[in-house]
Amino acid sequence: MNTQDLPANILDPNCPSRVIFQRIGDKWASLVIQVLGEGPVRFSELRKMVSVVTPKVLTQTLRALERDGLITRTVHAQVPPRVDYELTAMGESLLQPLSLLREWAESHVPTILEARDAYDDAQDEALLGSPSWAGRTGLPRG
Amino acid sequence: MNTQDLPANILDPNCPSRVIFQRIGDKWASLVIQVLGEGPVRFSELRKMVSVVTPKVLTQTLRALERDGLITRTVHAQVPPRVDYELTAMGESLLQPLSLLREWAESHVPTILEARDAYDDAQDEALLGSPSWAGRTGLPRG
DNA sequence: GCTATCAGTATCTATTGGATACCTTTGACT
DNA sequence: AGTCAAAGGTATCCAATAGATACTGATAGC
């Protein structure tokens, strides 16, 4: 669904689906949605649960999600104020895809940490142990 | 799997799963992985397919994915150089969760665009049409 | 009065992302 | 011999974003 009304395609930089995909993949947005999966939460609670996010960035994230129709924001005119955030139906429909990703991340932690160690060791070795003409390209240096 | 070896939990800021989750949700990383789902691709091809990414950022993304063991980088010692990027088995295991998210994004494009329009209209109206004492909080201003 | 509560802003700085130019080697072309 | 193109990046500089910190505002309770 780009300007030419072709089918949505994330690889097309002009396609809104790409922007939306990146909004979902935002650093904080996906965490917020998963927290709200349990039910409505107020601002300060959200801040504690999605630690460590600064209020400015949390506000930005929430506004963006609200604009996209994924959450609602309800203000109770009290003092001190109470503002509840809650998933919309569309927001809830994101929970399942997100939880799959979350499970993937949580289950692959050990493997990825090992891969990082191996990579970092290889880097160190390349810097310290090998002759200076052996670069990453496999070709001689200039 | 945090420093105390508790079960992985994305909501714990000390848990590596959180970092990994955010790496997946990186602006370009997930697109790269989806492109590589078709098979090995060389740098310049990748740049065209994942437009519009600058070479610096693409390099950073690829290095990070390589470090995490999600892709491999193979250099063919030719001139001009040829470098192929390819998913590892772990990288391939990410394809399914990611494609779900992609399908979600592509299918919700119209609804989200409508929500944005509605939100923006409401904002304009609030700014232009309503009395100045009616803020977002529902409480009087100071 | 003074303080606490809650939901944010305002301000400033550090980090990241992006645009652009440039580098390297070698074969093909002139 | 000189020049250009190709591929996979770096280097450099500037803009946008994220983050740290301080602060606002109304009111209830002490």
Side-chain angles (χ1 to χ4, degrees), chain A residues 10 18 21-22 25 28 30-31 51 66-68 73 75 93 100 102 104 106 116 120 136-137, chain B residues 10 18 21 25 27-28 30-31 51 66-68 73 75 93 100 102 104 106 116 120 136-137:
Chain A
I10 276 175
R18 181 153 175 174
F21 187 75
Q22 297 184 338
W28 301 110
S30 48
L31 291 178
S51 57
E66 188 191 1
R67 185 168 103 104
D68 284 355
R73 175 180 182 273
V75 181
S93 73
L100 276 181
R102 173 188 182 153
W104 188 96
E106 289 178 347
R116 285 186 185 176
D120 292 346
R136 270 184 71 86
T137 61
Chain B
I10 277 176
R18 181 153 175 173
F21 188 75
K27 184 170 179 181
W28 300 110
S30 49
L31 291 178
S51 55
E66 189 191 1
R67 185 167 105 102
D68 284 355
R73 174 179 183 273
V75 180
S93 73
L100 276 182
R102 174 189 181 152
W104 188 97
E106 290 178 348
R116 286 188 185 175
D120 293 345
R136 270 184 73 85
T137 60

Side-chain angles (χ1 to χ4, degrees), chain A residues 45-100:
Chain A
E45 281 301 308
L46 212 42
R47 254 201 93 190
K48 283 175 211 156
M49 297 175 77
V50 186
S51 57
V52 185
V53 59
T54 61
K56 190 188 77 171
V57 175
L58 182 57
T59 301
Q60 288 170 352
T61 303
L62 291 169
R63 292 285 185 280
L65 290 174
E66 188 191 1
R67 185 168 103 104
D68 284 355
L70 293 166
I71 65 174
T72 57
R73 175 180 182 273
T74 48
V75 181
H76 307 272
Q78 314 171 347
V79 171
R82 176 194 185 91
V83 178
D84 283 321
Y85 292 92
E86 191 172 7
L87 289 183
T88 61
M90 178 160 61
E92 280 179 27
S93 73
L94 242 178
L95 285 174
Q96 188 145 29
L98 275 185
S99 73
L100 276 181

Side-chain angles (χ1 to χ4, degrees), chain B residues 26-28 52 54-57 60 79-80:
Chain B
D26 176 77
K27 184 170 179 181
W28 300 110
V52 185
T54 62
K56 190 186 80 170
V57 175
Q60 288 171 351
V79 172

